[in-house]
Each structure stands twice: as C-alpha cells, then as structure tokens.
Amino acid sequence: MVGEGPYLISDLDRRGQRRSFSERYDPSLKTMIPVRPYARLASNPVDDAGLLSFATFSWLTPMMVRGYRHTLTVDTLPPLSPYDSSDTNARRFRILWDKEVERVGPEKASLGQVAWKFQRTRVLMDILANILCIIMSAIGPTVLIHQILQHTESSSRKVWVGISLCMALFATEVTKVLFWALAWAINYRTAIRLKVALSTLVFENLVSFKTLTHFSVGEVLNILSSDSYSLFEAALFCPLPATIPILMAVCAVYAYFILGPTALIGIFVYIIFIPIQMFMARLNSAFRRSAISVTDKRVQTMNEFLTCIKLIKMYAWERSFTNTIRDIRKRERKLLEKAGYVQSGNSALAPIVSTIAIVLTFSCHILLRRNLTAPVAFSVIAMFNVMKFSIAILPFSVKAMAEANVSLRKILIDKSPPSYITQPEDPDIVLLLANATLTWEQETSKKNNSKKAQDQKRRFVKKQRQEVYAEHSPSAQGVAGSEEQSDGPKSILHNISFVVRKGKVLGICGNVGSGKSSLIAALLGQMQLQKGIVAVNGTLAYVSQQAWIFHGSVRENILFGEKYDHQRYQHTVRVCGLLKDLRSLPYGDLTEIGERGLNLSGGQRQRISLARAVYSDRQLYLLDDPLSSVDAHVGKHVFEECIKKTLRGKTVVLVTHQLQFLESCDEVILLEDGEICEKGTHKELMEERGHYAKLIHNLRGLQFKDPEHIYNEAMVEALQESSEEMDEDAGTVRL
C-alpha cells in the first residue's frame, strides 16, 4: 500500500457514494507492479515508482544526479505528491476523528483507534512484508546453511549442488533485504502522513481558538514539535514488533527440531528479557514526559525573559533570572540524562540477550552429553541472530508507543467556545452593542459544573431569604448583590451600549486601563459575554496596539497574501506615509524585515500594520491606537489622508490617546473603568462640559477653573480666530 488511494478522501467520495475497491486502491495496486518503466503521469516520481523502485528508493536517482550536476532549488524539485499533502491527510483524519467523537463522545474518543483506522491498510501491508522478510530470513540460516554444511561434510562431490545452494542462499538474502527495505519504505511514508495530518489538525485547532489562555507557549511549541515527532516514531517503529510472536514460534519449533529440548532454554531467555526491556522502555518514557513538562516551564520562562529584557536590565535582575533558568535547565538535564542512561542500557540488552541465550543453550546441551555438530551449531546461532534484531527494535517501539500517548488528544478535544457575535437585523448597522457585559474569564468552568449543580438548591434557598431581607433592609440588598457578583467572574466591560452605522467613524478615548483595548477584543469575539448583545456586520480589519510584523519583505507584510495591484499598493503606501521610509531602505519595499520588525522603528512598524489593513479593503476597521508611535506631523498626515479620505465610506472604530483627532469623528465614547462615561458627538460632549470637555481643554492648554463657562470661552476664542482670518483675507484682497 504505497500510493495510498483511500487516504485522499474517505470511503465515501465527494458525491456521497461509496467507492469500489479498484477506485480506492488503484494507485496502490499499480505500485505493486515490480517495474513500471513507462509510468510518467504523476507529478511526483514516487507515485510512478514500481515495487522495486519504491523499496530501493531508486526513484530518487534522477533527482540526485540533477543535484550533482546543478544546484537544486525549490523550482527544480518535483511538487509534493497529493497523497502526502497536509490538506489531503488532515481532511481524512478529521473525518475519522469526528466519526469517533460522534460514536463514543469526546471524553472516550481514542486517538489510537483513529490513528489505526487512518493507517491500518498500510500497517497490514507492512506486517505482510515483515512476515515475508522473516520467512526469507529463516530459510537462509536454518535450511540452506544447514544443507551447505552437511554438503561439505558429505563425500558427494557434486559441484552443481553446492553452487545451487549458494545461489539459493544469495537469493534468500537479497529477497530478505528487499522485503525489509519495503517495510521501512511503507513505514516512513505512513509516518509522514500521520505526522502531517495530526500537526495540521492541531494547528487548525490552535488557530481556531480565540485565546490561548489554557495553553502556554511552551506547551504549544512542544505539541507542534516533539509530540508530533513522537507519533512519527510510533508509526515508524510500532508495526515492526508485530511479527515477534511469529518469529519466536518459528525459531522455537525449528531449534527444537534440530537441537532438541535444550533449544527451549535460549527461547526462554529471550522471553524473560522481553518484559525487562518493556519495563525499561516505559521508565524511559516516564523520564521523558517529566522532562517535557520541565521544558514547557523553561520555554515559558525564556519567553518572559526575552519579552521583558528591557525591564530586567533596568532593574538589574539578570542574575536572578539567570539562576532561575539555570535551575530549570539543570532539572531538565538530569531527567534527560536518566532517560539516556535507561535507553542506552536497554539498547545494550539486545546483543547481550543473544549471546547469553546461545551460551546457555550450548552449555546445557553439552552438560547433558548430547551430540553437537557444526551444521546444527551454526544453524542455531544463525536462528538466534535472526531473532536479535527483532528483539532490539522492541524497546524503540515501546518507547514510541508510550510517548505517542501525549497531550495531542487534549487539543483535538478542546473546542473554541461558540462565538457570541451575532448579525444585526438592520443592514445599515455595522456594530451594535446592547447592555453588553464581558469578561476575560469563562463564566462557568467545566471542573466546577458538578459542584455548582449540587449546590443549586442551597443557593436558591439562600437567594430567596436574601430577597425577603432585601425588601426590608437596603443594606441587605447591597450584601446580596455583592455576594451574587462574587460567584461569577470579574467583568471588564459593564453595560456597554452603542450603535455604529455604515460609513461612520467612532472614536474611543479614556485613561490607561479604562477598557479600550478590551472593547476592541470584545468586537473580535475574544472575550466572554456574560449578558447583552454584540452584533457585527461585514468583514473587518484589525490594527493592534503592538504592531505585528512577520519575517519577510515590507511588500509581503503589506500584501499579506493578497494579489498585488500596483496602483492600489502605491496609493496605500502614500496615504500611510511610507514613501519616504521605503526610499531610505536599501531595497525599497523588497527589503527583508527581521523577526518582529527588528530593523524598523516603532512608527514604521505601526504604519506597515496600518497599510496592511488598508490594502485588505474591508468594510469595518478596528484601529487600536494606530498612531501612538508616530510623529505628530506624520500622524496628522496619516489621519487626514488615510483615515478621513481613503477610508471614507468605511466604518472605522478608532481607539486613540491623541484627542485632537476626535473632533473629526462622527461619534465619541469616553470610557472609565470599563463603562461608558460619556457618549455623543464632539460638539455635544463639549456642550455637556463634562470629563471629555475637560480633557480637550487640558489638551489645548486652557485652565479648567470655571466649568460653567468653558464652552462659551472656547466659542469666543473660535469666533475671534475666524474674524481675524477674515480680516486678513479682506486685507489681502484690498492689496
């Protein structure tokens, strides 16, 4: 099963009809042809390879010759086989996993069962190749070598008999190697498909999560690297020991037949050492699992260290953090050393077991005064050596199987909570929040569901008593309310209500920690809705407060996978104030940007992030303080040319600390402690003479002494400025 047809899609085709055997296994059956010299139809040469070419990897020869003559590049390499692509294998594994979850439920769903269904045909073919390999391995040393030795001792001088036996021995050895190579080739391709399928599925699940609060950075890195590789090793090694019982039975019967009952001593030695090897393999896996948890902690600590390196340097905390990282690394190294010692000892048992079995068998045979001839001795030694490699591969298989049972199942089971974002009924409304109270924590934890269900009656009775007391005592009402709030998670945004229509610009301001960024996260669906309504209509683009830049060129960061349109691209670069910056870069917009934009300033990173959103041409723009790292004159240019002109007709939510831009917004919201303090147009809020008006006048440098006459003074100043400008214009006309 090499060119695995059934793994492109499930047993049901795209029309929902069950496919026939020939449709499912046609590529695999073609691969079973020994030689296919005229097959040149597949995009990848492995799909056109015959049985001999696939087993010996000779389909790689033309590529290796090409690499010897010329430098291999991505363009000269053949495309990936569709049977090995991540999309194909992940789709099929997802179908099988969903069926398993639907059959037994998410808690009882077995990752091993799904992995077996995913690759069982290939595993069965691998076991068949291993059985044929064992038969060839047994025929050579047991039958042919025994016959050759007897022929040398006999008085017969028939040369053709000896030549025939030697040629037969050569043929069995070549056939044994061929089947063994075929088994490894099948296992490698199966392991690659399983690793690709699970890695893709895990990545899709991680991306689907709105937040990764229940997974640390170290866990995510280990899941995508070491855990998926553990499954690769499991698919590679685990099918090989499946033939050990057959091999043991064949060896025991043959050894008993040619040597007698003493041959069972060597077989018994092998049987004793098998559980010892399995125990050591499990011990090794336990050490490695402990090391993985320590590695998670080390990666998380290093991430915190690198993120806060400026703060650590400022407070001279280098020594403390260095000691912490060294202690974690020391624990990790000790665990890995223990695992290495156990693994080395387990690997050393294979040749020792074979030697002990042979020595004990022959010693007991001689002590019992039984006859031992050269043909018999060499045949038994050859048979025990055949068993040696299969026993040696057992520790690796047990280790791979134990390490494969890791946290991948947790990620496959965990689902992103259903989105609370709804669609507004009025098509003219883009954003709608009605009495929305949101928090970062989940409203109810799964672990506490059973406990809360048990306490439901008690709480209901207690609540009734509190309501009775509340009718007669206002203080009791306050106590009841506070206790009721303490049961749930602490809310971040309280009773948020506003409406934004198409083409309007909403400005949001407030002090640090007032909930501005949380409000943007709520519109993105990243928080937990406790009550109220959050409705969003249309596609959106988001510009975060901390500019996100990936490793690539400036153009790639702006396009972000979109098709390149020269006119649209140049307009975006101009309105975002990037023309001068691109001229200063050595290769313009094709200049490679380091990880996180290391070779760019903060303002350049922010404007590239804004340009990415503008080029995407969405209906709704969520801008979280996009001009915070930009100079004053550049910020004014970006606001006038980009937000006011280029995004005219689009719906914009602008979070900013630069209050001078709020005068151009259609509506302004002032947040304080997660609540809307004031809401309205700039003119209306100035007339209200509240906190917003105070902020604006403080920005203008006016002293906020008499709140009753602030707006009047501002109007008088504006009228005086306008009259002076009119006089200047009139004087110019007279001249």
Side-chain angles (χ1 to χ4, degrees):
M1 299 311 302
V2 182
E4 199 82 40
Y7 294 149
L8 281 176
I9 50 179
S10 65
D11 294 343
L12 300 177
D13 64 6
R14 294 178 178 86
R15 299 182 302 273
Q17 300 174 354
R18 187 169 294 277
R19 299 180 299 156
S20 64
F21 179 85
S22 61
E23 289 176 341
R24 294 172 56 194
Y25 292 96
D26 182 63
S28 303
L29 294 174
K30 288 180 179 178
T31 309
M32 302 305 291
I33 300 173
V35 180
R36 300 174 63 192
Y38 302 107
R40 297 289 185 273
L41 300 176
S43 57
N44 193 291
V46 68
D47 296 327
D48 287 331
L51 185 65
L52 295 176
S53 176
F54 181 81
T56 59
F57 290 91
S58 60
W59 56 270
L60 278 171
T61 303
M63 196 184 310
M64 296 173 69
V65 172
R66 194 184 309 132
Y68 175 75
R69 294 176 178 175
H70 309 283
T71 302
L72 284 178
T73 61
V74 178
D75 298 329
T76 57
L77 289 174
L80 182 68
S81 170
Y83 303 101
D84 299 328
S85 66
S86 60
D87 181 49
T88 297
N89 292 284
R91 192 185 324 124
R92 183 174 186 273
F93 200 95
R94 172 70 73 182
I95 293 172
L96 295 174
W97 175 256
D98 291 341
K99 287 181 179 178
E100 177 73 10
V101 172
E102 184 179 356
R103 185 176 65 88
V104 298
E107 298 299 329
K108 296 182 179 180
S110 172
L111 184 63
Q113 288 285 340
V114 177
W116 163 250
K117 292 178 183 178
F118 179 78
Q119 59 186 4
R120 59 186 174 189
T121 309
R122 300 180 64 85
V123 171
L124 292 175
M125 293 302 297
D126 173 75
I127 293 174
L128 178 61
N130 275 313
I131 291 174
L132 294 175
C133 178
I134 288 174
I135 292 174
M136 294 297 108
S137 301
I139 289 175
T142 57
V143 178
L144 297 178
I145 291 180
H146 186 69
Q147 292 295 326
I148 290 173
L149 292 173
Q150 284 185 343
H151 179 72
T152 57
E153 292 180 350
S154 65
S155 59
S156 175
R157 298 301 178 184
K158 296 179 180 179
V159 179
W160 63 270
V161 175
I163 294 175
S164 300
L165 289 173
C166 291
M167 291 182 63
L169 179 62
F170 175 77
T172 54
E173 290 298 314
V174 170
T175 310
K176 176 191 76 173
V177 173
L178 179 64
F179 282 119
W180 183 247
L182 178 62
W184 276 101
I186 294 174
N187 281 358
Y188 265 109
R189 206 172 185 195
T190 304
I192 289 172
R193 292 181 183 182
L194 181 62
K195 181 179 183 296
V196 163
L198 271 169
S199 298
T200 305
L201 242 64
V202 168
F203 178 76
E204 288 176 354
N205 274 31
L206 289 173
V207 171
S208 67
F209 293 149
K210 291 294 184 180
T211 57
L212 290 178
T213 54
H214 50 302
F215 290 111
S216 65
V217 177
E219 286 179 328
V220 172
L221 292 177
N222 273 326
I223 286 166
L224 293 177
S225 58
S226 65
D227 290 353
S228 58
Y229 185 74
S230 298
L231 286 167
F232 175 85
E233 286 189 334
L236 183 63
F237 290 111
C238 289
L240 298 177
T243 56
I244 287 181
I246 301 175
L247 183 62
M248 298 284 287
V250 171
C251 291
V253 171
Y254 181 78
Y256 183 84
F257 178 74
I258 65 172
L259 189 64
T262 53
L264 298 178
I265 297 175
I267 302 296
F268 185 69
V269 171
Y270 274 104
I271 294 175
I272 288 177
F273 272 91
I274 286 177
I276 296 176
Q277 286 184 307
M278 294 183 68
F279 170 75
M280 294 180 69
R282 290 183 178 276
L283 186 62
N284 180 29
S285 301
F287 284 133
R288 288 189 175 274
R289 281 198 299 270
S290 302
I292 286 174
S293 62
V294 180
T295 304
D296 291 343
K297 188 176 181 181
R298 177 176 59 83
V299 172
Q300 186 176 2
T301 307
M302 283 298 300
N303 185 57
E304 294 174 358
F305 183 85
L306 295 175
T307 304
C308 307
I309 186 67
K310 292 182 180 179
L311 191 65
I312 293 171
K313 296 290 289 183
M314 184 175 67
Y315 286 100
W317 289 340
E318 299 97 325
R319 188 182 300 275
S320 175
F321 271 85
T322 303
N323 292 334
T324 301
I325 295 172
R326 282 178 179 171
D327 292 340
I328 298 174
R329 179 58 183 162
K330 187 176 180 181
R331 293 201 306 270
E332 181 186 8
R333 189 187 63 201
K334 286 183 177 180
L335 290 170
L336 291 176
E337 284 178 354
K338 292 178 181 178
Y341 290 146
V342 174
Q343 181 65 31
S344 300
N346 206 359
S347 301
L349 280 178
I352 295 175
V353 171
S354 177
T355 305
I356 293 174
I358 293 172
V359 170
L360 286 178
T361 300
F362 289 161
S363 299
C364 293
H365 192 80
I366 294 173
L367 290 175
L368 293 175
R369 301 183 183 278
R370 293 179 176 270
N371 187 25
L372 183 63
T373 61
V376 172
F378 278 104
S379 298
V380 173
I381 291 173
M383 180 58 71
F384 282 169
N385 286 332
V386 170
M387 297 171 57
K388 180 172 66 176
F389 183 77
S390 297
I391 300 299
I393 206 70
L394 184 63
F396 296 96
S397 303
V398 176
K399 167 182 166 292
M401 180 63 72
E403 291 184 359
N405 189 15
V406 288
S407 58
L408 287 178
R409 182 179 175 276
K410 177 185 176 185
I411 295 187
L412 291 176
I413 291 176
D414 285 350
K415 299 291 184 182
S416 181
S419 177
Y420 55 81
I421 304 293
T422 59
Q423 192 82 4
E425 297 180 357
D426 189 351
D428 191 49
I429 294 178
V430 178
L431 287 179
L432 169 65
L433 274 79
N435 297 324
T437 299
L438 300 105
T439 180
W440 285 109
E441 304 172 4
Q442 292 187 1
E443 187 175 358
T444 56
S445 177
K446 294 180 180 179
K447 297 180 180 179
N448 297 329
N449 279 343
S450 59
K451 184 178 179 181
K452 288 186 177 181
Q454 293 175 359
D455 297 338
Q456 188 175 7
K457 289 184 178 181
R458 180 179 56 81
R459 291 189 178 185
F460 178 73
V461 173
K462 188 174 182 180
K463 186 176 180 181
Q464 283 186 330
R465 292 177 180 176
Q466 289 174 350
E467 288 176 355
V468 172
Y469 287 122
E471 292 178 358
H472 303 282
S473 175
S475 60
Q477 189 175 2
V479 172
S482 63
E483 186 173 347
E484 193 173 347
Q485 290 179 359
S486 65
D487 290 338
K490 183 180 180 181
S491 56
I492 304 299
L493 301 174
H494 316 273
N495 298 324
I496 305 295
S497 298
F498 63 84
V499 175
V500 183
R501 297 187 177 274
K502 284 184 179 180
K504 300 297 182 181
V505 179
L506 172 66
I508 301 176
C509 61
N511 296 325
V512 176
S514 59
K516 302 184 297 298
S517 297
S518 297
L519 181 57
I520 296 294
L523 297 176
L524 293 172
Q526 295 180 349
M527 298 184 71
Q528 300 292 330
L529 181 66
Q530 289 184 310
K531 66 176 183 178
I533 298 174
V534 178
V536 179
N537 183 18
T539 58
L540 60 87
Y542 168 57
V543 178
S544 61
Q545 193 171 8
Q546 298 291 332
W548 181 78
I549 303 294
F550 62 88
H551 183 74
S553 65
V554 176
R555 180 180 294 185
E556 290 173 347
N557 272 272
I558 294 176
L559 296 180
F560 202 58
E562 296 277 347
K563 188 178 293 185
Y564 178 74
D565 185 339
H566 181 73
Q567 184 177 359
R568 175 173 151 204
Y569 178 81
Q570 291 297 326
H571 176 72
T572 301
V573 169
R574 182 183 62 81
V575 299
C576 292
L578 288 170
L579 286 176
K580 185 178 179 181
D581 301 281
L582 295 181
R583 293 193 193 103
S584 64
L585 295 175
Y587 300 102
D589 62 346
L590 298 179
T591 303
E592 291 288 331
I593 302 176
E595 192 67 29
R596 298 182 182 178
L598 293 177
N599 51 347
L600 297 176
S601 66
Q604 289 172 334
R605 292 196 294 266
Q606 199 71 45
R607 281 176 284 147
I608 290 174
S609 181
L610 178 61
R612 181 193 302 138
V614 174
Y615 189 84
S616 65
D617 191 21
R618 298 294 191 256
Q619 299 170 349
L620 171 62
Y621 287 83
L622 304 178
L623 310 180
D624 191 358
D625 210 0
L627 307 176
S628 58
S629 304
V630 180
D631 297 337
H633 64 283
V634 178
K636 183 178 180 182
H637 167 79
V638 172
F639 183 80
E640 293 291 336
E641 297 295 327
C642 179
I643 298 176
K644 288 185 65 176
K645 294 182 180 179
T646 303
L647 298 183
R648 182 178 298 168
K650 308 286 187 180
T651 306
V652 180
V653 177
L654 175 64
V655 173
T656 182
H657 288 283
Q658 296 165 314
L659 305 181
Q660 66 271 20
F661 298 137
L662 296 176
E663 298 182 15
S664 302
C665 297
D666 298 304
E667 190 174 5
V668 179
I669 289 177
L670 175 63
L671 288 177
E672 280 191 11
D673 297 329
E675 295 181 348
I676 295 179
C677 179
E678 296 179 9
K679 179 175 64 174
T681 63
H682 173 74
K683 183 179 179 180
E684 292 172 353
L685 295 179
M686 292 298 293
E687 289 176 352
E688 289 180 3
R689 302 187 296 275
H691 294 284
Y692 179 80
K694 180 179 179 180
L695 291 173
I696 295 296
H697 281 276
N698 285 339
L699 175 68
R700 292 177 177 176
L702 298 178
Q703 188 176 3
F704 193 69
K705 291 183 178 180
D706 190 1
E708 295 182 357
H709 301 287
I710 291 175
Y711 182 73
N712 295 330
E713 290 177 3
M715 290 297 295
V716 169
E717 288 181 2
L719 290 174
Q720 288 178 354
E721 291 177 358
S722 62
S723 63
E724 290 176 358
E725 291 177 357
M726 291 176 62
D727 292 338
E728 290 177 1
D729 294 338
T732 304
V733 172
R734 291 191 189 98
L735 290 174

